[in-house]
Amino acid sequence: MGIVVVEICDGNAITTLNLEEILEKEFPEVAVLTSDCLSFCGLCRVKPYALVNNRRIFGKTPEECLDKIRAAIKEELAIYQ
């Protein structure tokens, strides 16, 4: 089984959700990493986002972004099945 890495910036609105707990519980193949900065200057202030295996995933709200992250994780995992 493959591993999927979800990276989030600790200054982003997505951190209002506990992504590590939510995603790692739902998807054992996922590792959630929180960084001080992901070097996408200003992006974290504009809208919630995360990187899923280096692919940027955006949402208008943290909850919408989480739904899109889940979809991206499922796409990544499908490669390994």
Side-chain angles (χ1 to χ4, degrees):
M1 188 67 58
I3 183 95
V4 177
V5 178
V6 177
E7 296 177 82
I8 57 173
C9 175
D10 69 0
N12 189 278
I14 194 77
T15 59
T16 59
L17 303 174
N18 187 342
L19 286 188
E20 185 172 359
E21 182 179 318
I22 294 167
L23 293 175
E24 290 182 359
K25 186 176 185 179
E26 191 173 334
F27 302 99
E29 309 87 344
V30 170
V32 177
L33 305 175
T34 303
S35 300
D36 290 337
C37 181
L38 294 175
S39 299
F40 294 104
C41 295
L43 186 59
C44 61
R45 281 182 249 136
V46 177
K47 58 177 122 179
Y49 84 100
L51 298 177
V52 177
N53 282 358
N54 292 318
R55 192 173 93 202
R56 286 179 273 182
I57 307 297
F58 301 95
K60 291 181 182 175
T61 65
E63 293 78 12
E64 179 185 335
C65 190
L66 176 58
D67 290 340
K68 290 180 177 184
I69 291 168
R70 283 183 173 123
I73 289 170
K74 289 175 185 175
E75 287 175 23
E76 291 289 326
L77 291 176
I79 295 169
Y80 298 100
Q81 294 178 356

